[in-house]
Every structure is written in structure tokens, then in C-alpha cells.
């Protein structure tokens, strides 16, 4: 494995690659061969700490190496398309962080490159790791089994507060040229994919509203993860701070989405509730080992939401971990991601979420942006895609 980029997501991906073969039986062991960063000294310090064998400062040279089979892209979104397409053309399997790209056109190019590469046995995947939380996996299983009947409506939120302070400094995540969008792409992409995954349906159309709540911020002097220290200089915020949109799924079921980095007190509240014809499911990542399940066929005198502690060996992924009741954390999704990707590559099977899945999410993000620019008019996704292809 060669990993390009080593900040917040790079640390999380490194944890996944390092831990996966120590807790799960894998058909081959991932070797953390090379970490790529622009500055050799800084990259070397991170490589030593995270467990990478060597460093490189030019990602293009990595694609020429015979000892690299898979490229893991953890850079800002403006570089995803170029790196991913070049890696696939060079015969390297690819894992790319979400959102897959900054624009719909880039995502379409990447999906086409992935389809062509798959015909040569070269595989690709998008890093929507919240799919790999055991409670989310169980929710998908219960919906697929018909345990809540027909999906009637969905509510999905991703609430954070790390930008709620107007003096929090600028970063690449507040720069449209680097990030493509703000809350919409950074965290809204996750809840769109979560809805696609849990319900088994894709969003068909949206009516959206994007707002920038703080137009100017201090220029950062230093950064650690999501948080930084600002100086006296100030600059413009060029992305949305909050994204809200209503939608219809392919079946016609209505859905509501809310993504913001301005919700004081909400640290990483990824929430989805699915109401069906015979029951409901609810999940909140801030209580990530629990799934709430309501069976409407139970007698009223005993009916109520069941709190399922998703830590039994029978639950997805849990047999590889601890005794029942010993919960998992944020980093375990990245371990499960590495496990699933290594197994798929070894079997020659398309891993999920695929670049086609990533493109489906990008179509929704693009539709929300177009809807917001047109005073929240309902925007049909399939019709736009068909028109673009004609």
C-alpha cells in the first residue's frame, strides 16, 4: 500500500491498515510500504510514528513502483480525480476518501476510469467508512429482511460544532477550490451514502438550501486535525456552512437531510431514522454501538423501541473483536474498511462502495447545489443525468 496524504484521514487510514491483519484473518497481509507527502522531513516523522516503511514526495513516482499494488488517497478533494485516474491507468487498485471528487464532471471521469480498469482486474473503492459501523450494517440487514416493512420516510442528520466559533480559522475545508463545497460535501456526502446504504434506494431528486453563516475568518497559523490557531490576517469563507435539503427516494418515499458544522454541542452526531410500514430504525453515531428498533406489530401494551447493543459475535464484524458489551470506537470503521478491501481484491470482486456508488452521491450533491442556486426548486437527478448523456 502507498498512502498519499497523512493528516487527519491519513492517521485514521493508517490505523486501519496496521490493525486489520492483527484482528482478522486476511488472504494477504497489507504492507504499509510508502507514505507520500510534499515535505520529506515532515512525512518521515509521520511515517515513523504511524508505521510506514518509507516516504516519497512525488505521488507519480509511486505509480511506477512494482512493490505498490494499492494507492490510498487521503488528500483534499481537488487532487482526487487526477491521482485516482492515473493510479488506475497504472494498474494500481485505489481507495479514495469521500467525497469522491469536487465536481460531478470529475466524479463521472473517475467512475468511467474505474469501469475500464475493472475490466482489467483493477479495483477501486470510496471511503464511506460509516457504512462499516456494526450497528449500521445491522440496520441495513433489518431493512433488507423486511423487518420494518416498506420504507415510508427517512430523516438524516450530520451535526458538528467545530466551526461554530466565528474565530475558528480558515483551512482547506473552507476553501471551495480545495474542498469543492463545505458541509455539503464534507459531511453531507456521508448521510447521503448512509441513506443509500441502509434503505437500498438512491435519492431521486432534491430541494436544497445552502448557507454560509460566517463569511470571513482568521487565516490559520497552525493546524492539528480539524482545529487550528488563527492569526491577525483574515480571509473569505468560500463554501457553505450548513446544507439542508428535502428529497425523494427512488420509491417516492420522502427524506430530509441536515448537515452543519455550526451545531454547538454536537460533536459527531450522525443520525438516521427510517420509518417503515411495520416499524422503525434509529441510529446516532454519538452512541455508535446501539441501534434502536421498533416493531409496530407488537401489542400496544408492550410496544416500544428496543435498544440493541450491537456487540454480539453474531453482529457484523464483531466476532473479530472483544467479548459482548465491549464497544467499538471511531477507528474501527477504518479497520473494517481495510478488511473488506483486502478480501475483495484477493477474490477479484468489486468492493463497495464502488466509484459508481460515489458518483451516485456526487449527483445528489450537485443537485443540491443547483437547487439552492435556483431558490430551492425541486431538482430531478435522473433527468439531469440522462440529459447530460444524450
Amino acid at each position: 500500500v502507498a498512502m498519499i496524504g497523512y493528516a487527519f484521514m491519513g492517521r485514521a487510514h493508517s490505523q486501519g491498515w496496521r490493525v486489520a491483519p492483527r484482528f482478522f484473518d486476511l488472504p494477504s497481509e497489507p504492507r504499509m510500504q510508502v507514505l507520500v507527502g510534499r515535505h520529506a522531513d515532515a512525512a518521515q516523522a509521520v511515517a515513523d510514528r504511524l508505521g510506514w516503511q518509507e516516504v516519497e514526495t512525488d505521488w507519480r513516482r509511486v505509480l511506477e513502483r512494482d512493490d505498490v499494488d494499492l494507492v490510498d488517497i487521503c488528500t483534499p478533494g481537488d487532487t482526487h480525480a487526477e491521482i485516482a485516474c492515473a493510479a488506475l491507468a497504472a494498474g494500481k487498485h485505489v481507495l479514495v476518501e469521500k467525497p469522491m471528487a469536487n465536481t460531478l464532471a470529475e466524479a463521472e471521469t473517475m467512475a468511467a476510469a474505474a469501469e475500464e480498469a475493472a475490466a482489467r482486474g483493477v479495483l477501486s473503492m470510496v471511503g464511506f467508512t460509516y457504512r462499516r459501523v456494526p450497528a449500521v450494517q445491522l440496520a441495513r440487514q433489518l431493512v433488507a429482511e423486511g423487518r420494518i416493512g416498506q420504507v415510508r420516510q427517512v430523516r438524516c442528520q450530520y451535526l458538528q460544532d467545530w466551526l461554530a466559533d466565528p474565530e475558528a480559522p480558515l483551512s482547506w475545508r473552507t476553501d471551495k477550490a480545495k474542498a469543492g463545497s463545505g458541509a455539503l460535501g464534507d459531511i453531507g456526502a456521508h448521510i447521503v451514502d448512509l441513506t443509500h446504504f441502509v434503505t437500498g434506494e438512491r435519492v431521486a431528486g432534491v430541494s436544497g438550501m445552502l448557507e454560509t453563516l460566517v463569511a470571513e475568518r482568521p487565516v490559520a497559523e497552525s493546524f492539528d486535525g480539524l482545529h487550528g490557531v488563527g492569526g491577525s490576517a483574515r480571509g473569505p469563507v468560500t463554501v457553505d456552512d450548513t446544507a439542508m435539503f428535502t428529497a425523494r427516494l427512488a420509491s417516492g418515499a420522502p427524506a430530509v437531510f441536515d448537515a452543519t458544522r455550526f451545531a454547538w454541542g454536537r460533536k459527531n452526531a450522525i443520525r438516521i431514522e427510517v420509518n417503515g410500514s411495520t416499524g422503525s430504525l434509529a441510529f446516532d453515531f454519538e452512541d455508535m454501538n446501539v441501534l434502536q428498533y421498533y416493531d409496530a406489530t407488537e401489542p400496544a401494551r408492550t410496544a416500544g423501541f428496543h435498544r440493541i447493543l450491537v456487540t454480539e459475535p453474531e453482529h457484523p464484524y464483531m466476532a473479530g473483536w472483544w467479548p459482548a458489551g465491549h464497544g467499538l470506537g471511531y477507528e474501527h470503521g477504518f479497520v473494517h474498511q481495510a478488511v473488506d478491501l483486502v478480501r475483495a481484491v484477493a477474490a477479484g470482486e468489486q468492493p463497495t462502495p464502488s466509484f459508481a456508488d460515489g458518483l451516485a452521491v456526487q449527483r445528489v450533491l450537485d443537485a443540491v447545489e443547483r437547487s439552492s442556486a435556483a431558490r430551492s426548486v425541486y431538482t430531478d437527478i435522473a433527468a439531469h443525468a440522462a440529459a447530460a448523456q444524450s
Side-chain angles (χ1 to χ4, degrees):
V1 179
M3 187 177 74
I4 305 174
Y6 55 78
F8 174 26
M9 278 299 100
R11 298 204 306 270
H13 282 226
S14 297
Q15 174 80 351
W17 293 119
R18 186 170 58 248
V19 174
R22 288 161 178 80
F23 281 79
F24 291 83
D25 292 328
L26 299 180
S28 58
E29 181 171 346
R31 183 174 66 244
M32 297 166 66
Q33 186 64 38
V34 55
L35 181 146
V36 182
R38 288 172 296 177
H39 307 293
D41 291 345
Q44 188 64 62
V46 173
D48 292 343
R49 185 168 71 249
L50 297 181
W52 294 88
Q53 294 188 24
E54 56 185 297
V55 300
E56 176 58 78
T57 57
D58 186 346
W59 61 264
R60 294 168 182 82
R61 285 198 287 267
V62 166
L63 306 189
E64 302 169 356
R65 295 177 53 151
D66 293 333
D67 61 347
V68 170
D69 304 297
L70 186 147
V71 174
D72 183 358
I73 304 169
C74 296
T75 55
D78 62 324
T79 61
H80 286 185
E82 180 185 11
I83 298 172
C85 290
L88 291 170
K92 311 300 184 185
H93 307 299
V94 170
L95 169 63
V96 64
E97 253 305 315
K98 60 87 250 171
M100 190 167 83
N102 275 5
T103 68
L104 178 56
E106 289 175 345
E108 289 171 336
T109 297
M110 293 170 70
E115 184 177 6
E116 188 278 330
R120 297 183 279 109
V122 181
L123 304 172
S124 51
M125 188 172 82
V126 184
F128 285 110
T129 53
Y130 293 116
R131 283 187 175 209
R132 292 182 161 83
V133 173
V136 171
Q137 292 272 328
L138 179 60
R140 175 183 169 88
Q141 291 174 2
L142 294 178
V143 171
E145 292 166 7
R147 298 290 290 274
I148 64 167
Q150 180 183 356
V151 172
R152 285 185 169 168
Q153 58 182 341
V154 178
R155 282 174 299 283
C156 212
Q157 297 177 311
Y158 199 155
L159 313 177
Q160 296 179 332
D161 71 357
W162 63 277
L163 277 178
D165 181 354
E167 295 305 305
L170 296 166
S171 73
W172 70 265
R173 295 176 190 271
T174 57
D175 179 358
K176 188 173 179 62
K178 290 283 187 182
S181 64
L184 177 64
D186 185 23
I187 56 180
H190 273 302
I191 54 177
V192 172
D193 182 72
L194 201 62
T195 297
H196 288 177
F197 180 67
V198 172
T199 67
E201 297 186 48
R202 288 182 174 173
V203 172
V206 300
S207 176
M209 181 172 65
L210 304 177
E211 290 288 336
T212 300
L213 304 177
V214 173
E216 186 180 84
R217 292 182 176 276
V219 175
E221 292 185 342
S222 63
F223 252 95
D224 182 15
L226 293 178
H227 302 286
V229 176
S232 59
R234 302 184 74 86
V237 174
T238 56
V239 298
D240 57 281
D241 287 324
T242 186
M244 294 173 281
F245 52 103
T246 56
R248 287 199 180 275
L249 305 185
S251 65
V256 179
F257 297 85
D258 180 8
T260 182
R261 302 180 292 199
F262 270 70
W264 276 118
R266 304 301 180 191
K267 302 305 178 182
N268 207 44
I270 306 165
R271 301 167 170 174
I272 183 169
E273 181 168 321
V274 184
N275 305 127
S277 56
T278 61
S280 294
L281 292 167
F283 170 77
D284 185 341
F285 186 77
E286 289 188 347
D287 193 10
M288 67 170 287
N289 292 289
V290 170
L291 180 68
Q292 301 282 348
Y293 168 55
Y294 183 89
D295 183 352
T297 66
E298 289 188 6
R301 66 187 295 266
T302 57
F305 270 96
H306 298 284
R307 180 180 182 273
I308 305 171
L309 186 61
V310 190
T311 60
E312 297 291 335
E314 293 81 6
H315 288 138
Y317 301 112
M318 292 307 302
W321 293 107
W322 319 115
H326 295 66
L328 303 188
Y330 172 71
E331 74 276 11
H332 292 86
F334 295 91
V335 177
H336 302 157
Q337 174 175 266
V339 168
D340 290 346
L341 182 52
V342 169
R343 287 175 174 171
V345 167
E349 299 174 350
Q350 174 59 54
T352 58
S354 65
F355 275 23
D357 296 324
L359 174 58
V361 172
Q362 203 76 40
R363 291 194 190 283
V364 177
L365 305 184
D366 177 75
V368 172
E369 287 193 294
R370 288 186 288 113
S371 173
S372 180
R375 300 176 65 87
S376 302
V377 67
Y378 182 78
T379 303
D380 186 276
I381 294 170
H384 182 262
Q389 293 170 0
S390 64

